[in-house]
Coordinates of all heavy atoms in Angstrom, one line a residue:
M1 N -131.1 -8.8 53.5 CA -130.6 -8.0 52.4 C -131.2 -6.6 52.4 O -132.3 -6.4 52.8 CB -130.9 -8.7 51.1 CG -130.2 -8.0 49.9 SD -130.2 -9.1 48.5 CE -128.7 -8.7 47.9
Y2 N -130.4 -5.6 52.1 CA -130.8 -4.2 52.1 C -131.7 -3.9 50.9 O -131.4 -4.2 49.8 CB -129.6 -3.3 52.1 CG -129.9 -1.8 52.0 CD1 -130.4 -1.2 53.1 CD2 -129.7 -1.2 50.8 CE1 -130.7 0.2 53.0 CE2 -130.0 0.2 50.7 CZ -130.5 0.9 51.8 OH -130.8 2.2 51.7
E3 N -132.9 -3.3 51.2 CA -133.8 -2.9 50.1 C -133.9 -1.4 50.2 O -134.3 -0.8 51.2 CB -135.2 -3.5 50.4 CG -136.1 -3.3 49.2 CD -137.4 -4.1 49.4 OE1 -137.3 -5.3 49.7 OE2 -138.4 -3.5 49.2
A4 N -133.6 -0.7 49.0 CA -133.6 0.7 48.9 C -135.1 1.2 49.0 O -136.0 0.6 48.4 CB -133.0 1.2 47.7
T5 N -135.2 2.3 49.7 CA -136.5 3.0 49.8 C -136.7 3.8 48.5 O -135.8 4.5 48.1 CB -136.6 3.9 51.0 OG1 -136.3 3.2 52.1 CG2 -138.0 4.6 51.1
P6 N -137.9 3.6 47.8 CA -138.1 4.4 46.6 C -138.1 5.9 46.9 O -138.6 6.4 47.9 CB -139.5 4.0 46.1 CG -139.9 2.8 47.0 CD -139.0 2.8 48.2
L7 N -137.5 6.6 45.9 CA -137.4 8.1 46.1 C -138.8 8.7 45.7 O -139.4 8.3 44.7 CB -136.3 8.6 45.2 CG -134.9 8.1 45.5 CD1 -133.9 8.6 44.5 CD2 -134.5 8.6 46.9
L8 N -139.1 9.8 46.4 CA -140.3 10.5 46.1 C -140.1 11.4 44.9 O -138.9 11.8 44.6 CB -140.8 11.4 47.3 CG -141.2 10.6 48.5 CD1 -141.4 11.6 49.7 CD2 -142.4 9.8 48.3
P9 N -141.1 11.8 44.1 CA -140.9 12.6 43.0 C -140.4 14.0 43.4 O -140.7 14.5 44.5 CB -142.3 12.8 42.4 CG -143.1 11.6 42.9 CD -142.5 11.3 44.3
T10 N -139.6 14.6 42.6 CA -139.1 16.0 42.9 C -140.2 17.0 42.6 O -141.2 16.8 41.9 CB -137.9 16.3 42.0 OG1 -138.3 16.4 40.7 CG2 -136.8 15.2 42.2
D11 N -140.0 18.2 43.2 CA -140.9 19.3 42.9 C -141.0 19.6 41.4 O -142.0 19.9 40.9 CB -140.5 20.5 43.7 CG -140.8 20.4 45.2 OD1 -141.6 19.5 45.6 OD2 -140.1 21.1 46.0
K12 N -139.8 19.6 40.8 CA -139.8 19.9 39.3 C -140.6 18.9 38.5 O -141.3 19.2 37.6 CB -138.3 20.0 38.8 CG -137.6 21.2 39.2 CD -136.2 21.3 38.6 CE -135.5 22.5 38.9 NZ -134.2 22.6 38.2
Q13 N -140.4 17.6 38.9 CA -141.2 16.6 38.2 C -142.7 16.8 38.4 O -143.4 16.7 37.5 CB -140.8 15.2 38.8 CG -139.8 14.4 38.2 CD -139.6 13.0 38.8 OE1 -139.7 12.9 40.0 NE2 -139.5 12.0 37.9
L14 N -143.1 17.1 39.6 CA -144.5 17.3 39.9 C -145.1 18.5 39.1 O -146.2 18.4 38.5 CB -144.7 17.5 41.4 CG -144.5 16.2 42.3 CD1 -144.5 16.6 43.7 CD2 -145.6 15.2 42.0
T15 N -144.3 19.6 39.1 CA -144.7 20.7 38.3 C -144.9 20.4 36.9 O -145.9 20.8 36.2 CB -143.7 21.9 38.6 OG1 -143.7 22.2 40.0 CG2 -144.2 23.1 37.8
Y16 N -143.9 19.7 36.3 CA -143.9 19.4 34.9 C -145.1 18.4 34.6 O -145.8 18.6 33.6 CB -142.6 18.8 34.5 CG -142.5 18.5 33.0 CD1 -142.8 19.5 32.1 CD2 -142.0 17.3 32.5 CE1 -142.6 19.3 30.7 CE2 -141.9 17.1 31.1 CZ -142.2 18.1 30.2 OH -142.0 17.9 28.9
A17 N -145.3 17.4 35.4 CA -146.4 16.5 35.2 C -147.7 17.1 35.3 O -148.6 16.8 34.5 CB -146.2 15.3 36.2
R18 N -147.9 18.0 36.2 CA -149.2 18.8 36.4 C -149.4 19.7 35.1 O -150.6 19.8 34.7 CB -149.2 19.6 37.6 CG -149.3 18.7 38.9 CD -149.3 19.6 40.1 NE -149.3 18.7 41.3 CZ -148.5 18.8 42.3 NH1 -147.6 19.8 42.4 NH2 -148.6 18.0 43.3
A19 N -148.4 20.3 34.6 CA -148.5 21.1 33.4 C -149.0 20.2 32.2 O -149.9 20.6 31.4 CB -147.2 21.8 33.1
I20 N -148.4 19.0 32.1 CA -148.8 18.1 31.0 C -150.2 17.7 31.2 O -151.0 17.7 30.3 CB -147.8 16.9 31.0 CG1 -146.4 17.2 30.6 CG2 -148.4 15.8 30.1 CD1 -145.4 16.1 30.7
A21 N -150.6 17.3 32.4 CA -151.9 16.8 32.7 C -152.9 17.9 32.4 O -154.0 17.6 31.9 CB -152.0 16.4 34.2
R22 N -152.6 19.1 32.8 CA -153.5 20.3 32.6 C -153.7 20.5 31.0 O -154.8 20.7 30.6 CB -153.0 21.5 33.2 CG -153.9 22.6 33.5 CD -153.4 23.7 34.4 NE -151.9 24.0 34.3 CZ -151.1 23.6 35.3 NH1 -151.5 23.0 36.3 NH2 -149.8 23.9 35.1
K23 N -152.6 20.4 30.3 CA -152.7 20.7 28.9 C -153.5 19.6 28.2 O -154.2 19.8 27.2 CB -151.2 20.7 28.3 CG -151.1 21.0 26.9 CD -150.8 22.5 26.7 CE -150.5 22.7 25.2 NZ -150.3 24.1 24.9
L24 N -153.3 18.3 28.6 CA -154.0 17.2 28.0 C -155.4 17.0 28.6 O -156.2 16.2 28.1 CB -153.2 15.9 28.2 CG -151.9 15.9 27.5 CD1 -151.1 14.6 27.8 CD2 -152.1 15.9 26.0
D25 N -155.7 17.7 29.7 CA -157.0 17.6 30.4 C -157.2 16.1 30.9 O -158.2 15.5 30.6 CB -158.2 18.0 29.5 CG -159.4 18.3 30.3 OD1 -159.3 18.5 31.5 OD2 -160.5 18.1 29.7
V26 N -156.2 15.6 31.5 CA -156.2 14.3 32.1 C -155.7 14.3 33.6 O -155.1 15.3 34.0 CB -155.3 13.2 31.3 CG1 -155.8 13.1 29.9 CG2 -153.9 13.6 31.4
A27 N -156.1 13.3 34.3 CA -155.6 13.2 35.7 C -154.3 12.3 35.7 O -154.2 11.4 35.0 CB -156.6 12.6 36.6
I28 N -153.4 12.7 36.6 CA -152.2 11.8 36.8 C -152.7 10.7 37.7 O -153.2 10.9 38.8 CB -151.1 12.6 37.5 CG1 -150.7 13.9 36.6 CG2 -149.9 11.7 37.6 CD1 -149.8 14.8 37.3
P29 N -152.5 9.4 37.3 CA -152.8 8.3 38.2 C -152.1 8.4 39.5 O -151.0 8.7 39.6 CB -152.4 7.1 37.4 CG -152.2 7.6 36.0 CD -151.9 9.0 36.0
R30 N -152.8 8.0 40.6 CA -152.3 8.0 41.9 C -151.0 7.2 42.0 O -150.0 7.7 42.6 CB -153.3 7.5 42.9 CG -152.9 7.7 44.3 CD -154.0 7.1 45.3 NE -154.7 7.9 46.2 CZ -154.5 9.0 46.7 NH1 -153.5 9.7 46.3 NH2 -155.2 9.6 47.7
G31 N -150.9 6.1 41.4 CA -149.7 5.3 41.4 C -148.5 5.9 40.8 O -147.4 5.7 41.2
S32 N -148.7 6.8 39.9 CA -147.7 7.5 39.2 C -147.1 8.6 40.1 O -146.0 9.1 39.8 CB -148.1 8.1 37.9 OG -148.5 7.1 37.0
L33 N -147.8 9.0 41.1 CA -147.3 10.1 42.0 C -146.5 9.5 43.2 O -146.0 10.3 44.0 CB -148.5 10.9 42.5 CG -149.3 11.7 41.5 CD1 -150.6 12.2 42.0 CD2 -148.4 12.8 40.9
E34 N -146.5 8.2 43.3 CA -145.8 7.7 44.5 C -144.3 7.6 44.5 O -143.7 7.7 45.5 CB -146.4 6.3 44.8 CG -147.9 6.3 45.2 CD -148.5 5.0 45.4 OE1 -147.8 4.0 45.1 OE2 -149.7 5.0 45.7
T35 N -143.7 7.4 43.3 CA -142.3 7.3 43.2 C -141.7 8.1 42.1 O -142.4 8.4 41.1 CB -141.8 5.8 43.0 OG1 -142.2 5.4 41.7 CG2 -142.3 4.9 44.1
R36 N -140.5 8.5 42.2 CA -139.8 9.3 41.1 C -139.8 8.5 39.8 O -140.1 9.1 38.8 CB -138.4 9.6 41.6 CG -137.7 10.6 40.8 CD -136.3 10.9 41.4 NE -136.5 11.6 42.7 CZ -135.5 12.0 43.4 NH1 -134.2 11.8 43.0 NH2 -135.7 12.6 44.6
Q37 N -139.5 7.2 39.9 CA -139.5 6.4 38.6 C -140.9 6.3 38.0 O -141.0 6.4 36.8 CB -138.9 5.0 39.0 CG -138.8 4.2 37.7 CD -138.2 2.8 38.1 OE1 -138.0 2.5 39.2 NE2 -137.9 2.1 37.0
A38 N -141.9 6.1 38.8 CA -143.3 6.0 38.2 C -143.7 7.3 37.6 O -144.3 7.2 36.5 CB -144.2 5.6 39.3
L39 N -143.4 8.4 38.2 CA -143.8 9.7 37.6 C -143.0 10.0 36.4 O -143.5 10.5 35.4 CB -143.6 10.8 38.6 CG -144.2 12.2 38.2 CD1 -145.7 12.1 37.8 CD2 -144.0 13.2 39.3
S40 N -141.7 9.6 36.4 CA -140.9 9.8 35.2 C -141.5 9.0 34.0 O -141.5 9.5 32.9 CB -139.5 9.4 35.5 OG -138.7 9.6 34.4
S41 N -141.9 7.8 34.3 CA -142.5 6.9 33.2 C -143.8 7.5 32.7 O -144.0 7.6 31.5 CB -142.8 5.5 33.8 OG -141.6 4.9 34.1
W42 N -144.6 8.1 33.6 CA -145.9 8.7 33.1 C -145.5 10.0 32.3 O -146.2 10.2 31.3 CB -146.7 9.1 34.4 CG -148.0 9.7 34.0 CD1 -149.2 9.0 33.8 CD2 -148.3 11.1 33.7 NE1 -150.2 9.9 33.4 CE2 -149.7 11.1 33.3 CE3 -147.6 12.3 33.7 CZ2 -150.3 12.4 33.0 CZ3 -148.2 13.5 33.4 CH2 -149.6 13.5 33.0
I43 N -144.6 10.7 32.7 CA -144.2 11.9 31.9 C -143.7 11.5 30.6 O -144.1 12.1 29.5 CB -143.1 12.7 32.7 CG1 -143.7 13.4 33.9 CG2 -142.4 13.8 31.8 CD1 -142.7 14.0 34.9
D44 N -142.8 10.5 30.5 CA -142.3 10.0 29.2 C -143.4 9.6 28.3 O -143.4 9.8 27.0 CB -141.3 8.9 29.4 CG -140.0 9.4 29.9 OD1 -139.7 10.6 29.9 OD2 -139.2 8.5 30.5
R45 N -144.4 8.9 28.8 CA -145.5 8.4 27.9 C -146.4 9.6 27.4 O -147.0 9.5 26.4 CB -146.4 7.4 28.7 CG -145.8 6.1 28.9 CD -146.8 5.1 29.4 NE -147.5 5.5 30.6 CZ -147.1 5.4 31.9 NH1 -145.9 4.8 32.1 NH2 -147.8 5.8 32.9
N46 N -146.5 10.6 28.2 CA -147.5 11.7 27.9 C -146.9 13.0 27.3 O -147.7 13.7 26.7 CB -148.3 12.0 29.2 CG -149.3 10.9 29.5 OD1 -150.3 10.7 28.9 ND2 -148.9 10.0 30.4
R47 N -145.7 13.2 27.5 CA -145.1 14.5 27.0 C -145.0 14.5 25.5 O -144.9 15.6 24.9 CB -143.8 14.7 27.6 CG -142.6 13.9 27.1 CD -141.3 14.3 27.7 NE -140.4 13.3 27.3 CZ -139.1 13.3 27.7 NH1 -138.8 14.2 28.6 NH2 -138.3 12.4 27.3
T48 N -145.0 13.4 24.8 CA -144.8 13.4 23.4 C -146.2 13.5 22.6 O -146.2 13.5 21.4 CB -144.1 12.2 22.9 OG1 -144.8 11.0 23.4 CG2 -142.7 12.1 23.4
R49 N -147.3 13.5 23.4 CA -148.6 13.6 22.8 C -148.7 15.0 22.1 O -148.2 16.0 22.6 CB -149.7 13.4 23.8 CG -149.7 11.9 24.3 CD -150.6 11.7 25.4 NE -152.0 11.9 25.1 CZ -153.0 11.7 26.0 NH1 -152.7 11.3 27.1 NH2 -154.2 12.0 25.6
P50 N -149.4 15.1 21.0 CA -149.4 16.3 20.2 C -149.7 17.6 21.0 O -149.1 18.6 20.8 CB -150.4 16.1 19.2 CG -150.4 14.6 19.0 CD -150.1 14.1 20.4
S51 N -150.6 17.6 21.9 CA -151.0 18.8 22.6 C -149.9 19.3 23.5 O -149.8 20.5 23.6 CB -152.3 18.5 23.5 OG -152.7 19.7 24.1
V52 N -149.1 18.5 24.0 CA -148.0 19.0 24.9 C -146.9 19.7 24.1 O -146.4 20.7 24.5 CB -147.4 17.8 25.7 CG1 -146.2 18.3 26.5 CG2 -148.5 17.2 26.6
T53 N -146.6 19.1 22.9 CA -145.6 19.7 22.1 C -146.1 21.0 21.4 O -145.3 21.7 20.8 CB -145.1 18.7 21.1 OG1 -146.1 18.3 20.2 CG2 -144.4 17.5 21.7
G54 N -147.4 21.2 21.5 CA -148.0 22.4 20.9 C -148.0 22.4 19.4 O -148.0 23.4 18.7
S55 N -148.1 21.2 18.8 CA -148.1 21.1 17.3 C -149.4 21.6 16.8 O -150.5 21.3 17.3 CB -147.8 19.7 16.9 OG -148.9 18.8 17.3
A56 N -149.3 22.4 15.8 CA -150.5 23.0 15.1 C -151.3 21.9 14.4 O -150.7 20.9 14.0 CB -150.1 24.1 14.2
A57 N -152.5 22.2 14.1 CA -153.3 21.3 13.3 C -152.7 21.1 11.9 O -152.1 22.0 11.4 CB -154.8 21.9 13.2
T58 N -152.8 19.9 11.4 CA -152.2 19.6 10.1 C -153.1 20.2 9.0 O -154.3 20.5 9.2 CB -152.1 18.1 9.9 OG1 -153.4 17.6 9.8 CG2 -151.3 17.4 11.0
S59 N -152.5 20.4 7.8 CA -153.3 20.9 6.7 C -154.5 20.0 6.4 O -155.5 20.6 6.0 CB -152.4 21.1 5.5 OG -151.8 19.9 5.1
R60 N -154.3 18.7 6.5 CA -155.4 17.8 6.2 C -156.6 18.0 7.2 O -157.7 17.9 6.9 CB -155.0 16.4 6.2 CG -154.0 16.1 5.0 CD -153.5 14.7 4.9 NE -154.7 13.9 4.5 CZ -154.6 12.6 4.4 NH1 -153.4 12.0 4.6 NH2 -155.6 11.9 4.0
Q61 N -156.2 18.2 8.5 CA -157.2 18.4 9.5 C -157.9 19.7 9.2 O -159.2 19.7 9.3 CB -156.5 18.5 10.9 CG -156.2 17.2 11.6 CD -155.6 17.5 13.0 OE1 -154.7 18.3 13.1 NE2 -156.1 16.8 14.0
V62 N -157.2 20.7 8.9 CA -157.8 22.0 8.6 C -158.8 21.9 7.5 O -159.9 22.4 7.5 CB -156.8 23.1 8.4 CG1 -157.4 24.4 7.9 CG2 -156.0 23.4 9.7
A63 N -158.4 21.3 6.4 CA -159.2 21.2 5.2 C -160.5 20.4 5.5 O -161.6 20.8 5.2 CB -158.4 20.4 4.1
F64 N -160.4 19.3 6.3 CA -161.5 18.5 6.6 C -162.5 19.3 7.6 O -163.7 19.3 7.4 CB -161.1 17.2 7.3 CG -162.2 16.2 7.5 CD1 -163.0 15.8 6.5 CD2 -162.6 15.9 8.8 CE1 -164.1 14.9 6.7 CE2 -163.6 15.0 9.1 CZ -164.4 14.5 8.0
A65 N -161.9 20.0 8.5 CA -162.7 20.8 9.5 C -163.4 21.9 8.8 O -164.5 22.2 9.1 CB -161.7 21.3 10.6
E66 N -162.7 22.5 7.8 CA -163.4 23.6 7.1 C -164.6 23.1 6.3 O -165.6 23.7 6.2 CB -162.4 24.3 6.2 CG -161.4 25.2 7.0 CD -160.3 25.9 6.2 OE1 -160.0 25.4 5.1 OE2 -159.8 26.8 6.7
R67 N -164.4 21.9 5.7 CA -165.6 21.3 5.0 C -166.7 21.0 6.0 O -167.9 21.3 5.7 CB -165.1 19.9 4.3 CG -164.7 20.1 2.9 CD -164.5 18.8 2.2 NE -163.3 18.3 2.7 CZ -162.9 17.0 2.8 NH1 -163.8 16.1 2.3 NH2 -161.8 16.6 3.2
L68 N -166.4 20.4 7.1 CA -167.4 20.2 8.1 C -168.1 21.5 8.6 O -169.3 21.6 8.8 CB -166.8 19.5 9.4 CG -166.5 18.0 9.2 CD1 -165.8 17.5 10.5 CD2 -167.8 17.2 9.0
S69 N -167.2 22.5 8.7 CA -167.7 23.8 9.2 C -168.7 24.4 8.2 O -169.8 24.9 8.6 CB -166.5 24.8 9.3 OG -166.9 26.1 9.6
R70 N -168.4 24.3 6.9 CA -169.4 24.8 5.9 C -170.7 24.0 5.9 O -171.7 24.5 5.8 CB -168.7 24.7 4.5 CG -167.8 25.9 4.3 CD -167.3 26.0 2.8 NE -166.7 24.8 2.3 CZ -165.4 24.5 2.5 NH1 -164.6 25.3 3.1 NH2 -164.8 23.4 2.0
L71 N -170.5 22.6 6.0 CA -171.7 21.8 6.0 C -172.6 22.0 7.2 O -173.8 22.0 7.1 CB -171.3 20.3 5.9 CG -170.7 19.8 4.6 CD1 -170.2 18.4 4.7 CD2 -171.8 19.8 3.5
K72 N -172.0 22.1 8.4 CA -172.7 22.3 9.6 C -173.0 23.7 10.0 O -173.8 24.0 10.9 CB -171.9 21.6 10.8 CG -171.6 20.2 10.6 CD -172.7 19.3 11.0 CE -172.3 17.8 11.0 NZ -173.2 17.0 11.7
R73 N -172.4 24.6 9.2 CA -172.6 26.1 9.5 C -172.2 26.4 10.9 O -172.9 27.1 11.6 CB -174.0 26.5 9.2 CG -174.3 26.4 7.7 CD -175.7 26.9 7.4 NE -175.9 26.6 5.9 CZ -177.0 26.9 5.3 NH1 -178.0 27.3 6.0 NH2 -177.1 26.6 4.0
R74 N -171.0 25.9 11.3 CA -170.5 26.2 12.6 C -169.0 26.7 12.4 O -168.3 26.2 11.6 CB -170.4 24.9 13.4 CG -171.7 24.4 13.8 CD -171.6 23.3 14.8 NE -172.9 22.7 15.1 CZ -173.2 21.4 15.2 NH1 -172.2 20.6 15.1 NH2 -174.4 21.0 15.4
A75 N -168.7 27.7 13.2 CA -167.3 28.2 13.2 C -166.4 27.3 13.9 O -166.7 26.6 14.9 CB -167.3 29.6 13.9
I76 N -165.2 27.3 13.4 CA -164.1 26.5 14.1 C -163.4 27.5 15.1 O -162.9 28.5 14.7 CB -163.1 26.0 13.1 CG1 -163.7 25.1 12.0 CG2 -162.0 25.2 13.8 CD1 -162.9 24.9 10.8
P77 N -163.3 27.1 16.4 CA -162.6 28.0 17.3 C -161.2 28.2 16.9 O -160.5 27.3 16.4 CB -162.7 27.2 18.6 CG -163.9 26.3 18.4 CD -163.9 25.9 17.0
D78 N -160.7 29.4 17.1 CA -159.3 29.8 16.7 C -158.3 28.9 17.4 O -157.3 28.5 16.7 CB -159.0 31.2 17.1 CG -159.8 32.2 16.2 OD1 -160.2 31.8 15.1 OD2 -160.0 33.3 16.7
E79 N -158.5 28.5 18.6 CA -157.5 27.6 19.3 C -157.3 26.3 18.7 O -156.3 25.6 18.8 CB -157.8 27.5 20.8 CG -159.1 26.9 21.2 CD -160.2 28.0 21.3 OE1 -160.0 29.1 20.9 OE2 -161.3 27.6 21.8
C80 N -158.3 25.8 17.9 CA -158.2 24.5 17.2 C -157.1 24.5 16.1 O -156.5 23.5 15.9 CB -159.5 24.1 16.6 SG -160.8 23.7 17.9
F81 N -156.9 25.7 15.6 CA -155.9 25.8 14.5 C -154.5 25.7 15.1 O -153.5 25.3 14.4 CB -156.0 27.1 13.7 CG -157.3 27.1 12.9 CD1 -158.4 27.7 13.4 CD2 -157.3 26.5 11.6 CE1 -159.6 27.8 12.6 CE2 -158.5 26.5 10.9 CZ -159.6 27.2 11.4
R82 N -154.3 26.0 16.4 CA -153.0 26.0 17.0 C -152.7 24.7 17.7 O -151.6 24.5 18.1 CB -153.0 27.2 18.1 CG -153.0 28.5 17.5 CD -152.8 29.6 18.5 NE -153.8 29.7 19.5 CZ -154.9 30.4 19.4 NH1 -155.2 31.1 18.4 NH2 -155.8 30.4 20.4
D83 N -153.7 23.8 17.8 CA -153.5 22.5 18.5 C -154.1 21.4 17.8 O -155.3 21.3 17.6 CB -154.0 22.7 19.9 CG -153.7 21.5 20.9 OD1 -153.5 20.4 20.4 OD2 -153.5 21.8 22.1
A84 N -153.3 20.4 17.4 CA -153.8 19.3 16.6 C -154.8 18.4 17.4 O -155.8 17.9 16.8 CB -152.7 18.4 16.1
V85 N -154.6 18.3 18.7 CA -155.5 17.5 19.5 C -156.9 18.2 19.6 O -157.9 17.5 19.5 CB -154.9 17.2 20.9 CG1 -155.9 16.6 21.8 CG2 -153.6 16.4 20.8
M86 N -156.8 19.5 19.8 CA -158.1 20.2 19.9 C -158.9 20.1 18.6 O -160.1 20.0 18.6 CB -157.9 21.6 20.3 CG -157.5 21.8 21.8 SD -157.3 23.4 22.3 CE -159.0 24.0 22.4
M87 N -158.1 20.3 17.5 CA -158.8 20.2 16.2 C -159.4 18.8 16.0 O -160.5 18.7 15.5 CB -157.8 20.5 15.0 CG -158.4 20.5 13.7 SD -159.7 21.7 13.4 CE -158.7 23.1 12.9
S88 N -158.7 17.8 16.4 CA -159.2 16.4 16.3 C -160.5 16.3 17.1 O -161.5 15.7 16.6 CB -158.2 15.4 16.8 OG -158.6 14.1 16.7
R89 N -160.5 16.8 18.3 CA -161.7 16.7 19.1 C -162.9 17.5 18.5 O -164.0 17.0 18.5 CB -161.4 17.3 20.5 CG -160.6 16.4 21.3 CD -160.3 17.0 22.7 NE -159.4 16.1 23.4 CZ -158.6 16.6 24.4 NH1 -158.7 17.8 24.8 NH2 -157.8 15.7 25.1
W90 N -162.6 18.7 17.9 CA -163.6 19.5 17.3 C -164.2 18.7 16.1 O -165.4 18.6 15.9 CB -163.1 20.8 16.8 CG -164.2 21.7 16.3 CD1 -164.9 22.6 17.0 CD2 -164.7 21.7 14.9 NE1 -165.8 23.2 16.2 CE2 -165.7 22.7 14.9 CE3 -164.4 21.1 13.7 CZ2 -166.4 23.0 13.8 CZ3 -165.1 21.4 12.6 CH2 -166.1 22.3 12.6
I91 N -163.3 18.0 15.3 CA -163.8 17.3 14.1 C -164.7 16.1 14.6 O -165.8 15.9 14.1 CB -162.6 16.7 13.3 CG1 -161.9 17.9 12.6 CG2 -163.0 15.6 12.3 CD1 -160.6 17.5 12.0
E92 N -164.2 15.4 15.6 CA -165.0 14.3 16.1 C -166.4 14.7 16.6 O -167.4 14.0 16.4 CB -164.3 13.5 17.2 CG -163.1 12.7 16.8 CD -163.5 11.6 15.8 OE1 -164.5 10.9 16.0 OE2 -162.8 11.5 14.7
S93 N -166.4 15.8 17.3 CA -167.7 16.3 17.8 C -168.6 16.9 16.8 O -169.8 17.2 17.0 CB -167.5 17.3 19.0 OG -166.9 18.5 18.5
N94 N -168.1 17.1 15.6 CA -168.9 17.7 14.5 C -169.1 16.9 13.3 O -169.6 17.4 12.3 CB -168.3 19.1 14.1 CG -168.5 20.1 15.2 OD1 -169.6 20.7 15.3 ND2 -167.5 20.4 16.0
K95 N -168.8 15.6 13.4 CA -169.0 14.7 12.2 C -170.5 14.4 12.0 O -171.3 14.4 12.9 CB -168.3 13.4 12.5 CG -166.8 13.4 12.1 CD -166.3 12.0 12.3 CE -164.8 12.0 11.8 NZ -164.2 10.7 12.0

């Protein structure tokens, strides 16, 4: 019986996946780079994460971070206000 050879990822897929990985500061698993379908699945799982969509920090995050900032006497980096994931990391590191 004929077995189809898996297709390699396209250049556009690779570029997009690398941009997502860079934004999230994660590595693309080796297995996800082997086939078009595997890379597509990795992209689907990771593109909806807050940092990729560029969602700003929520008002609750900002309020909590500002309280921590006053208590710890530390400034909140400006980029944290533009990215919910970065704000979350800042909060976790300053609890």
Side-chain angles (χ1 to χ4, degrees):
M1 186 163 218
Y2 174 73
E3 189 173 310
T5 305
L7 297 172
L8 295 175
T10 65
D11 289 336
K12 284 185 178 184
Q13 267 186 315
L14 290 168
T15 301
Y16 186 50
R18 287 180 184 130
I20 292 170
R22 203 172 25 256
K23 184 102 175 174
L24 295 174
D25 195 25
V26 297
I28 303 169
R30 192 180 239 339
S32 295
L33 293 169
E34 293 176 357
T35 67
R36 195 174 290 180
Q37 184 178 7
L39 188 55
S40 182
S41 294
W42 185 89
I43 290 170
D44 288 342
R45 284 191 310 274
N46 290 281
R47 72 175 173 187
T48 57
R49 291 172 63 178
S51 181
V52 174
T53 59
S55 65
T58 66
S59 59
R60 291 180 74 180
Q61 278 182 311
V62 171
F64 187 62
E66 287 175 341
R67 267 188 285 154
L68 284 174
S69 175
R70 282 190 301 276
L71 289 171
K72 302 276 185 164
R73 296 184 181 173
R74 290 189 186 138
I76 303 167
D78 290 336
E79 56 270 14
C80 290
F81 292 97
R82 294 186 295 271
D83 190 328
V85 172
M86 288 183 74
M87 182 63 85
S88 180
R89 288 180 184 158
W90 187 89
I91 289 170
E92 287 300 315
S93 67
N94 287 285
K95 277 187 175 177

